Amino acid sequence: SQKIEQNSEALNIQEGKTATLTCNYTNYSPAYLQWYRQDPGRGPVFLLLIRENEKEKRKERLKVTFDTTLKQSLFHITASQPADSATYLCALDENYGQNFVFGPGTRLSVLP
Amino acid sequence: SQTIHQWPATLVQPVGSPLSLECTVEGTSNPNLYWYRQAAGRGLQLLFYSVGIGQISSEVPQNLSASRPQDRQFILSSKKLLLSDSGFYLCAWSEGTPGNEQFFGPGTRLTVL
């Protein structure tokens, strides 16, 4: 099964800077890769999906890239704000997209 | 619009007691349903998923079982809880189309003493 690593357990950045989070996987390249945000004590909330044939996806201040050669996805938050502080999870599909495997998450803290 | 309900929000149970957590979805038909567990400071572990009534797939061997008696109802059960069953249990649903986003419920915090 897939082994998923997310760059660091915690990441601190200054407000206004760009946050870059990494998701690496070891086995087969997934057909779909998703990013979620999770606040303490809450369920994850979907942010973006990128397909294997897509290099990049954007949504407002968010950008996701997908490199199947490197087996890596990067998640960027530009002009970061303290409200962006949360844990961010990447998820890769299994069983032809019927279910997903989640990474351990990166806890992002945006400092004012 | 669609909503997902989970209850209870918190639960404290002694070792060896039974468990029943319920999840219901409104506003959609024939959803895929999922049960996850999240240990403190850890990622999400998929426990069970279901693509239809009575169809349950288990991802890991464990002390838990799941059932889907109705299209939009998903139940997580145990006959005898273990200390290691403590965690944050999340139910989620998605449309049946592959790759669709999952919508998560508010979760149940289970503590087994």
Side-chain angles (χ1 to χ4, degrees):
Chain A
S1 63
Q2 281 283 18
K3 183 180 177 184
I4 304 170
E5 295 178 345
Q6 292 192 239
N7 53 329
S8 55
E9 193 172 315
L11 181 64
N12 297 329
I13 64 165
Q14 211 64 38
E15 182 176 6
K17 301 291 185 184
T18 296
T20 298
L21 284 64
T22 305
C23 175
N24 294 295
Y25 56 94
T26 56
N27 293 341
Y28 57 88
S29 280
Y32 310 92
L33 190 148
Q34 299 178 344
W35 283 89
Y36 288 79
R37 169 186 172 138
Q38 186 176 23
D39 291 288
R42 309 285 293 272
V45 174
F46 172 80
L47 297 173
L48 281 168
L49 174 142
I50 190 164
R51 294 177 173 79
E52 62 179 336
N53 61 349
E54 297 175 319
K55 295 291 185 187
E56 181 179 299
K57 208 73 168 288
R58 290 176 185 262
K59 180 182 176 182
E60 298 171 351
R61 293 186 295 113
L62 309 180
K63 184 177 83 171
V64 172
T65 63
F66 193 8
D67 188 327
T68 55
T69 302
L70 294 178
K71 296 190 175 181
Q72 180 181 80
S73 174
L74 299 179
F75 177 79
H76 306 273
I77 306 175
T78 58
S80 60
Q81 305 165 1
D84 294 326
S85 299
T87 296
Y88 291 85
L89 306 166
C90 68
L92 281 60
D93 81 286
E94 289 193 330
N95 294 327
Y96 309 103
Q98 292 298 337
N99 60 276
F100 280 76
V101 177
F102 282 80
T106 295
R107 188 172 67 253
L108 174 66
S109 296
V110 181
L111 308 173
Chain B
S1 64
Q2 302 89 0
T3 54
I4 178 169
H5 304 279
Q6 269 188 259
W7 64 94
T10 59
L11 191 59
V12 180
Q13 292 283 97
V15 169
S17 63
L19 174 74
S20 181
L21 302 180
E22 190 162 342
C23 171
T24 59
V25 181
E26 296 176 356
T28 187
S29 296
N30 198 32
N32 288 352
L33 296 172
Y34 308 85
W35 277 112
Y36 291 90
R37 177 171 57 206
Q38 189 172 36
R42 306 283 295 277
L44 292 170
Q45 179 187 33
L46 179 63
L47 301 175
F48 302 95
Y49 72 95
S50 171
V51 298
I53 296 175
Q55 301 178 61
I56 309 293
S57 296
S58 174
E59 288 298 297
V60 293
Q62 58 204 314
N63 183 41
L64 303 168
S65 62
S67 62
R68 185 171 177 173
Q70 300 180 47
D71 182 44
R72 289 168 287 179
Q73 183 185 29
F74 206 21
I75 298 173
L76 184 69
S77 304
S78 174
K79 293 181 179 178
K80 289 186 177 181
L81 283 169
L82 306 171
L83 287 174
S84 58
D85 291 324
S86 293
F88 190 45
Y89 287 82
L90 288 156
C91 179
W93 75 272
S94 70
E95 298 285 358
T97 306
N100 269 339
E101 64 185 281
Q102 295 183 45
F103 299 91
F104 285 82
T108 295
R109 177 78 57 191
L110 172 66
T111 303
V112 182
L113 301 174

